[in-house]
């Protein structure tokens, strides 16, 4: 992460100074109470001096070892080189520990974006431009996670269980309407269409029985499709009885005619 350690050390040298600079941001609601208390305790803490402490400590240990413990005793040149190398190593170790401490501090923040905004406001009040030029790694990860969630959420397909009943019914004309229309179109609407369908299905030779049956169906069509409110029930029953008798007579005559035509073939 890009982090202004030097700016933080010079801006918050003490606890009272940290409270003075961050109190206005707390009152404006830029940072939370938790982050305010955490920052005022941590930023002026002893970690600010760890590089120097570890550097001096490492140099002192090296000098003590070379002068008092080592046999033969180190020369002045060796003591100088050894203490200098120990100082550098100690300062690097202190800086590493300092960075780890700041990382733990940023991970403990409730609102890292608000903390960064508060630091920018502090810099502006101190005469800066507010452009500290750093962004916490945690904020970048949260932003990337939010972008991934938004992208996947926009491309996710919602099934029927995720759609309200009203919206699901609105989608019927686009999904179920063609199927319903095709099924309704496949069913004949009245007797005339049944007769036309039968004529369309029949190909080649048409027997006399089919012709008589179709003619009888056409004769019965007006009576079967007429409204019961217009014709008396008794008249409809008599008409159908008469039509049935005519149909039976025609069938009997046709049957006798067929037998008379076929009988010479068996002689």
């Amino acid at each position: 992460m890009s982090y202004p350690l030097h700016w933080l050390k010079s801006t918050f040298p003490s606890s009272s100074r940290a409270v003075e600079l961050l109190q206005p941001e707390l009152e404006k609601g830029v940072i939370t109470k938790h982050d305010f208390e955490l920052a005022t305790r941590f930023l002026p803490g002893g970690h600010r001096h760890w590089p120097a402490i570890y550097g001096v400590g490492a140099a002192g240990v090296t000098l003590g070892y070379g002068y008092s413990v080592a046999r033969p005793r180190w020369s002045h040149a060796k003591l100088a080189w050894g203490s200098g190398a120990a100082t550098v190593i100690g300062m690097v170790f202190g800086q590493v520990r300092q960075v780890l401490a700041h990382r733990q501090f940023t991970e403990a923040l409730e609102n890292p974006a608000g903390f960064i905004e508060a630091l920018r406001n502090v810099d502006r009040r101190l005469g800066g431009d507010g452009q500290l030029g750093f962004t916490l790694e945690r904020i970048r990860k949260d932003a990337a996670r939010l972008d991934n969630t938004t992208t996947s959420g926009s491309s996710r397909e919602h099934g029927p269980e995720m759609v309200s009943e009203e919206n699901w019914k609105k989608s019927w004309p686009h999904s179920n309407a063609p199927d319903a229309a095709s099924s309704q179109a496949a069913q004949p609407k009245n007797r005339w269409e049944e007769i036309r369908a039968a004529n369309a299905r029949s190909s080649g030779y048409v027997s006399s029985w089919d012709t008589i049956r179709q003619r009888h169906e056409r004769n019965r069509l007006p009576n079967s499709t007429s409204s019961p409110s217009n014709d008396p029930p008794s008249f409809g029953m008599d008409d159908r009885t008469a039509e049935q008798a005519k149909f039976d007579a025609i069938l009997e005559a046709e049957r006798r005619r067929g037998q008379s035509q076929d009988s010479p073939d068996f002689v």
Side-chain angles (χ1 to χ4, degrees):
M1 62 182 176
S2 177
Y3 201 74
L5 288 177
H6 179 71
W7 183 86
L8 291 174
K9 289 172 60 177
S10 60
T11 305
F12 304 99
S14 63
S15 178
S16 59
R17 181 62 172 170
V19 172
E20 178 186 354
L21 294 177
L22 294 178
Q23 184 69 35
E25 306 304 319
L26 175 64
E27 295 174 355
K28 291 187 296 185
V30 179
I31 59 176
T32 64
K33 181 68 174 178
H34 171 272
D35 293 348
F36 171 78
E37 295 178 352
L38 183 65
T40 53
R41 288 196 310 266
F42 173 79
L43 294 179
H47 60 85
R48 302 169 64 251
H49 309 292
W50 281 353
I53 293 174
Y54 281 101
V56 173
V61 171
T62 303
L63 288 174
Y65 174 81
Y67 186 80
S68 302
V69 179
R71 292 291 183 270
R73 182 180 299 176
W74 289 1
S75 63
H76 293 288
K78 188 174 182 179
L79 287 173
W81 281 102
S83 62
T87 301
V88 172
I89 294 175
M91 293 182 65
V92 171
F93 180 75
Q95 289 178 352
V96 171
R97 285 207 59 191
Q98 191 178 56
V99 170
L100 294 178
H102 275 271
R103 182 173 183 177
Q104 293 176 355
F105 163 71
T106 58
E107 290 177 352
L109 292 172
E110 285 184 346
N111 184 13
F115 173 72
I116 291 181
E117 184 63 26
L119 295 184
R120 290 173 179 171
N121 294 338
V122 169
D123 184 59
R124 293 187 186 98
R125 292 203 307 270
L126 296 177
D129 57 359
Q131 301 298 327
L132 300 178
F134 76 99
T135 301
L136 298 180
E137 182 180 1
R138 176 182 169 188
I139 296 180
R140 290 197 297 267
K141 290 182 179 180
D142 292 343
R145 188 182 303 110
L146 180 61
D147 293 340
N148 294 335
T149 303
T150 304
T151 304
S152 61
S154 61
S155 61
R156 186 181 298 115
E157 295 181 0
H158 298 278
E161 68 282 358
M162 303 179 67
V163 182
S164 62
E165 183 178 357
E166 181 180 357
N167 295 334
W168 183 245
K169 290 181 179 180
K170 291 180 180 179
S171 63
W172 287 357
H174 302 284
S175 58
N176 297 337
D179 297 337
S182 60
S183 62
Q184 291 178 359
Q187 299 178 355
K189 296 180 179 180
N190 49 42
R191 296 295 298 174
W192 280 111
E193 292 190 1
E194 291 181 1
I195 296 173
R196 295 193 189 98
N199 292 334
R201 287 193 300 266
S202 62
S203 60
Y205 173 77
V206 180
S207 64
S208 59
W209 292 102
D210 294 334
T211 303
I212 295 172
R213 188 179 298 107
Q214 293 175 8
R215 185 183 302 114
H216 176 69
E217 293 294 338
R218 293 191 186 97
N219 294 333
R220 291 183 58 188
L221 184 60
N223 296 327
S224 61
T225 58
S226 60
S227 175
S229 60
N230 296 333
D231 297 330
S234 59
F235 178 78
M237 292 295 294
D238 296 340
D239 191 18
R240 284 195 294 271
T241 302
E243 290 293 336
Q244 185 65 35
K246 291 180 181 180
F247 179 68
D248 294 340
I250 293 173
L251 289 180
E252 183 64 23
E254 184 66 22
R255 185 178 64 81
R256 292 178 180 178
R257 188 183 302 108
Q259 290 179 355
S260 63
Q261 291 177 356
D262 296 337
S263 58
D265 295 338
F266 295 98
V267 178

